[in-house]
Amino acid sequence: MVRCFGDELRRRRKEKGFRLNEFSRSIGYSSGYVSKVERGVIPASRRFAEACALALESYEELVALIDEGTTTGKEISDMKASCGLPVPPSHFSGRSAQLDRLVTFLTDESSGPLCVLSGMPGSGKTALALQGAWKAAAHFSDGCLFFDAGHESSGGVEDILLSLLRLLDVPEKKIPPRSDAMASLWRSQIAGKRLLLVLDNVLSSADVVPLLSTEPGCKVIVTSRKRLSALDDAARLTIGVMKDAEADALFRTIGGEQAARAADHSVRAVVDHCGRLPLAVRIAAARLRNGPVLTVEELEARLSHEAHRLELLDDGDRSVTAALTVSCDALSTEQRRVLALLALYPGPGIDLHSVAALANVTLARAALLVDGLADVHLVSHESSHRITVHSLVRQFAGLVILPQISIAEQQAATRRLLDHGLRLAVAADKLLTPQRYRPPVVLDDFPVKALPFDNRIAGLSWLESEWRSLVALCHTAADIGLHSLCWQLAFALRDFFFLTKRWGPWIETHLRAVECARAGGTRAWLAISLHNLGVAHSDRGDLTVAVGYFKQSLALYQELDDDHGVVNALSSLAWTELYLGDYVKSMDGLRRALMYYRRLGNTRNAAITLRGIALLEAELELCPAAVRHAQQARAEFHALGLDLDAVMAVNCAAWAHFRSGDHDAARACYEEALALADGCASRYEKARSLTGLGNIQQAAGHRDRAAELWKRADALYGGLEPMMLGEARVRLAS
């Protein structure tokens, strides 16, 4: 008799031209359930029959089959269609791509039963889950339910199963005592239903698995501070901090009139202090709207004080500190120690080698501990060997967990970190410029350990990723009185900053180095640091400032009877005089320096000086001599394996050819330099070559070609200084 209704349903569905999936969507039941009814596997309820009859416009005929008792067996109890979802937080902002993915998952029966939303505390996981659930609620005709699995009153999955079975009107006496039996009963009761469960703050995968079913119309959304990696087949959304514009919009929406009319830069400063964490942004905005009369600028000023920031991000009902405390309470003792020590690291990110040094553990152990912290979203991976710590997590760790570690242990960890950073910086610098003159007092006799790089390119890549942290470590060393570590770090970073033209951090680190050298009474390092400050200012075109530093350095070297230092200072002054147009003084100084370097066998410095003489000769229009000396310098650089210096020499020869009017020879040299510059990662020298090639096209009357080459140069390195480069002067005059 069961087949009578099923057969009639299939016949009428096909007669109307409905495909199974299309028909099931129209009546709000899963295609699997409809198929089972049509095949007579399960009986149809009256409610199901009514939905089918309405869709097929055959109410009397199909419902009559039900009324006549043609279905056999006991009907499945229908859960009352209800939406028990909490009201989602107001002023939801951003997350459009993730919200679309969640809604698509909920409405696509082929996407599986489970989606896990995980992220750090306060990232807005629940808000996103509820937004998605409400948008898809109409798809779940048998109801949408919400459970806070992490609430202190929650009895875990057994409590949830018991609540669900009661909602299904299962008599108490028929609910088995065992959780696995309850789960089996739950799955049998939801056959053919369309039901959504939202499980908030789930602590363990074991609290989810018993609730899953194979019913295509039933879905489960889980939010958790953990990744819940054991849920192998789950769809996953990782919820991070908000994008800048999204965080700005959320703050303005919640913050009222003050926030709505505030300047963009003030709003951005506030949300940056909040780390673009939705919970923090909401609390800050609510404080602005509901608290004492404040402007956004005043709120930003208060939040700028790290020591009080977490206190401000607590409104009594919501608290960033409380949210983070819950996550930290679940950590092991060793994981808590590592998280606390990470607060000592001054940079924005840290590699695993540095974590190992900081915690005084092996690299393998550091990786495992970091993975544990990442699993609960207290740190995040930039790559397999590098992590970042959110600013609010770092502040929480420093204020709440770090005080539990003794001052002696904190100091030892900081010293290990500084020694490690300096050791790697020195090793990378030696790969970058192996022929560079280094004072013998540089402490590079560190224990031999495996390095994260073993060649120039790898060392350069490491410096590129770590220089910000090394700059921060330089400041740390200065702040805690480890003067020698400060000036040595500054010295080790100098050539990298020269290559990449990062004059700001170059000057910043050497100002601290000068401060530490003076505080430590170390005149030799004071002279070195002053000289490098001069080189930085000279390289970016601040020539009069550079001259002042060179003269201070020269006086110190003379007092110390340091002939090498004296000649370096005189040579640097001669380079500055070249750029200032005092060619007579410049030539005299460069020739004296060249003789001295040749006598000492300092081939690298001699070749650099020879390149300076070639540039000077080009300015004096002694072009054949300039080309000859530039080519000689290039050969010496090549023999030493100094690729960057060789590129600079080839560009110098190109400039000399251009000055002489031999544009074909200039083009050949610029093109050679352009190709060579790729090998030493110098965007600056590539931009110089392209500018020179553009000048040649301009001189030939090809303005469009020149403009295209100059555009490429600007994309690589905008703003070549005309005072420093002849190519830039020619372009400027065009």
Side-chain angles (χ1 to χ4, degrees), residues 529-578:
S529 301
L530 285 168
H531 182 262
N532 282 336
L533 264 177
V535 175
H537 281 285
S538 175
D539 198 48
R540 77 172 184 181
D542 298 335
L543 299 177
T544 54
V545 177
V547 167
Y549 282 122
F550 289 144
K551 287 182 176 178
Q552 291 182 63
S553 175
L554 176 61
L556 279 168
Y557 281 131
Q558 289 171 335
E559 291 175 15
L560 294 166
D561 291 327
D562 184 339
D563 290 342
H564 187 274
V566 167
V567 173
N568 280 345
L570 288 172
S571 175
S572 295
L573 279 168
W575 275 89
T576 308
E577 288 158 352
L578 162 62

Side-chain angles (χ1 to χ4, degrees), residues 188-211:
S188 70
Q189 289 291 308
I190 62 173
K193 293 190 180 297
R194 306 188 67 82
L195 183 68
L196 172 63
L197 296 182
V198 180
L199 304 178
D200 198 29
N201 295 316
V202 169
L203 301 177
S204 167
S205 300
D207 290 336
V208 179
V209 173
L211 301 171

Side-chain angles (χ1 to χ4, degrees), residues 66-77:
I66 298 295
D67 291 340
E68 292 169 8
T70 54
T71 58
T72 62
K74 187 179 183 295
E75 286 191 5
I76 298 176
S77 171

Side-chain angles (χ1 to χ4, degrees), residues 595-613:
M595 290 174 60
Y596 179 85
Y597 292 138
R598 294 288 193 213
R599 187 167 66 249
L600 288 183
N602 189 333
T603 310
R604 176 177 182 262
N605 281 16
I608 291 172
T609 306
L610 191 61
R611 179 169 54 82
I613 290 173

Side-chain angles (χ1 to χ4, degrees), residues 120-122 225 277 279 310 319-331 336 339 377-378 390 392-397 401:
M120 69 177 287
R225 298 176 182 192
L277 186 70
L279 174 62
L310 288 174
S319 167
V320 172
T321 296
L324 291 170
T325 298
V326 172
S327 291
C328 287
D329 285 346
L331 298 177
R336 285 175 63 87
L339 183 61
H377 297 280
L378 290 173
H390 189 276
L392 295 180
V393 175
R394 185 189 302 278
Q395 289 163 34
F396 170 83
I401 312 177

Side-chain angles (χ1 to χ4, degrees), residues 246-356:
E246 294 174 347
D248 293 352
L250 180 63
F251 180 80
R252 287 187 187 277
T253 303
I254 297 175
E257 186 179 344
Q258 283 273 18
R261 66 169 184 256
D264 290 347
H265 67 86
S266 297
V267 171
R268 179 61 51 81
V270 169
V271 301
D272 282 347
H273 288 318
C274 295
R276 292 179 284 116
L277 186 70
L279 174 62
V281 173
R282 286 179 176 275
I283 294 172
R287 184 175 290 278
L288 181 71
R289 186 189 66 231
N290 302 323
V293 179
L294 282 176
T295 65
V296 174
E297 290 74 17
E298 289 169 335
L299 177 61
E300 189 276 325
R302 293 189 183 186
L303 287 168
S304 67
H305 299 287
E306 287 191 7
H308 306 297
R309 189 174 300 161
L310 288 174
E311 290 183 63
L312 285 166
L313 297 176
D314 183 341
D315 62 9
D317 294 317
R318 299 171 296 184
S319 167
V320 172
T321 296
L324 291 170
T325 298
V326 172
S327 291
C328 287
D329 285 346
L331 298 177
S332 69
T333 301
E334 196 174 10
Q335 288 171 336
R336 285 175 63 87
R337 174 178 176 270
V338 170
L339 183 61
L341 292 177
L342 285 173
L344 297 173
Y345 194 79
I350 180 169
D351 71 347
L352 288 181
H353 287 83
S354 297
V355 175

